[in-house]
Amino acid sequence: MSTTVEQAAVFPVTHRPGLPFPDVPRFQGWIRPTRIEGDIFDLEVVQGSVPRELNGRFYTMAADTQFSPRLGDDVFFNGDGMIRMFTIADGHVDYRSRYVMTEKLRAERSARRALFGAYRNPFTDDPSVAGVNRGNANTAFVFSGGKLLTLKEDARPVAVDPVTLETQGEWAFNGKLTSKTFTAHPKIDQRTGEMFFFGYEAKGLATRDIAYYVAGRDGQITHEVWLQAPYVGFMHDFVVSDDYVIFTVFPATADLDRLKAGGQHWRWDPKCDTYLGVMPRRGTAANVRWFTGPPRWAYHFFNSSNDGTTITIDACVGEAISAPCFYPDTYGSPIDPPKTVTRITRWTLDYNNPDAGFQEHILDNNYADYPSVDPRKQTARHRVGFAAIVHPHDGELDLDSSDSNLRAMGLNAVIRYDFVENRVVSRFVPGRQSSIQEPLFIPRGPDAPEGDGWLIMLVDRWNTMLNDLVIVDTADLGAGPVATVSLPMRLPTGVHTLWLDNAELTKASR
Ligand code: V55
Ligand code: FE
């Protein structure tokens, strides 16, 4: 097995130039770093044609570690943010990749070696970088107030030029961002252009403070609330409905003493309850009501909606922490693999009845993640959802993680889900020996019906170790790709994606 971070704290630190990546699962297979920054003009469209209606940019973020890790091993989520951008115009596709030049990466590049240690543990860093911003901008994007922001939930956003990908630097909303952190999953209400976001561990490492903000269409912060989490738990994503905002605290906990001892940031703690903190969109800390339920795990949510004080939340939910890449080793009692399966689940609660907690209904049995809704429905009532799933080609869901590096996250198909009929409507399976990275929905046009448009995604082809960029029509995912664009190299497993339409970019730069 791989080295634990606790052991790694005494791992000999080497200054050997060009230190190779260690021969451990995190640096093998599809998630092995490539560190390639480059441009490719006019990619090959090897099947079908790219819809002429698509004029914009598809961004995918990867955690592409620059230097062999300081501690001898690392977790995937600690890699350096690498933007891979596909510019689509008139059926043509160009490619560009650039690192986000974070303070962390700049410090390490000048030393020509890793100086920062374990995931969200500054006590494992080289003393020379004490106090330097550790943010690695490796998770997601948001476009708001005319700025393209790259996000990592333990730091503030880092702005990049949406065309050249040149790093512009940390963005603190003209000094109005009081939180030290910023979620990777802000929400935008397209009806008003408002962005809703929060930071957790907002006053610093392992603090219980949560800061919540609303920013207007112009990117200026108009609302700010500080509140306290019930415990320092995992708060990766959150949801906003027409009238409420819902914070979610899951039972992985952070502890300052453990961090000081060189330990891992997170530990799954099934003794903690799951907490949902609900308050009106423009509420205050006094309006926050906490709803509890049994230990659960959700990285990502589809959306939320409310009918008066009755709130529904749709997510991909499991009974224990998933993605073992987060924990190269578990501690204490091992986690039962079937409990890590995250399924499409609906939670309901009544804001006026916190004593009743939240109720849970599992809607579908697929192992699903990367849920999304039509961006025009984000924070409004949705009917259509999309999610990546683990499709069991041979009839058995393979929960053995032994080859999970080659299989990336194991996600290998996409479904369109109907939340009114409660069923999978159609499914895209890119074939055997293939996995997918986050699929992204693009509406066919501003007035197209909900969910009508395309899904765009990277497909990992295991036989060639090369990627395709694939576009599927959401009218029938089963009909196969409308276009397949081939890449001459492997793009390491990414995290989140963004589509930025030319019209939106032009409007913002006027
Ligand atoms: C996630 C990813 C992260 C992270 C925490 O998708 C959670 C989940 C890429 O970094 O730091
Ligand atoms: Fe995420």
Side-chain angles (χ1 to χ4, degrees), residues 17-29:
L19 186 69
F21 286 102
D23 195 16
V24 293
R26 191 267 169 263
F27 296 99
Q28 294 161 351

Side-chain angles (χ1 to χ4, degrees), residues 77 119-120 138-139 152-153 234 236 299-300 326 495-496:
F77 291 166
Y119 175 83
R120 293 174 70 177
N138 72 359
T139 311
K152 174 70 174 185
E153 66 198 57
F234 185 70
H236 180 62
Y299 279 106
H300 301 116
F326 222 157
V495 192
H496 291 293

Side-chain angles (χ1 to χ4, degrees), residues 297-299 316-318 320 322 339-344 366-369:
W297 189 258
Y299 279 106
C316 296
V317 179
S322 61
K339 285 191 170 177
T340 66
V341 174
T342 48
R343 296 185 172 86
I344 300 178
N366 280 295
Y367 186 168
D369 194 22

Side-chain angles (χ1 to χ4, degrees), residues 3 38 56 85 132 147 238 242 250 272 311 332 364 393 402 497:
T3 321
M85 174 179 78
V132 177
K147 287 189 158 25
F238 83 134
D242 276 315
F250 292 111
C272 293
I311 300 170
D364 183 76
H393 277 292
S402 57
T497 58

Side-chain angles (χ1 to χ4, degrees), residues 239-368:
V239 273
V240 179
S241 74
D242 276 315
D243 299 310
Y244 294 94
V245 47
I246 299 104
F247 304 105
T248 59
V249 184
F250 292 111
T253 59
D255 173 75
L256 200 56
D257 288 333
R258 181 173 73 237
L259 291 169
K260 284 181 178 163
Q264 291 164 339
H265 192 96
W266 296 120
R267 275 194 175 178
W268 171 244
D269 186 351
K271 289 194 205 76
C272 293
D273 280 339
T274 299
Y275 278 76
L276 308 181
V278 186
M279 73 176 215
R281 277 188 181 198
R282 298 244 169 204
T284 67
N287 305 130
V288 180
R289 296 179 185 168
W290 291 98
F291 295 72
T292 57
R296 287 293 181 263
W297 189 258
Y299 279 106
H300 301 116
F301 297 87
F302 286 96
N303 202 22
S304 172
S305 60
N306 71 285
D307 193 352
T309 59
T310 302
I311 300 170
T312 63
I313 298 161
D314 294 336
C316 296
V317 179
E319 292 179 27
I321 185 169
S322 61
C325 54
F326 222 157
Y327 297 90
D329 289 283
T330 47
Y331 60 95
S333 51
I335 293 164
D336 188 19
K339 285 191 170 177
T340 66
V341 174
T342 48
R343 296 185 172 86
I344 300 178
T345 300
R346 172 162 286 185
W347 287 336
T348 54
L349 60 88
D350 182 352
Y351 179 69
N352 283 339
N353 192 5
D355 292 343
F358 62 88
Q359 288 73 53
E360 178 176 88
H361 304 276
I362 298 173
L363 300 180
D364 183 76
N365 264 326
N366 280 295
Y367 186 168

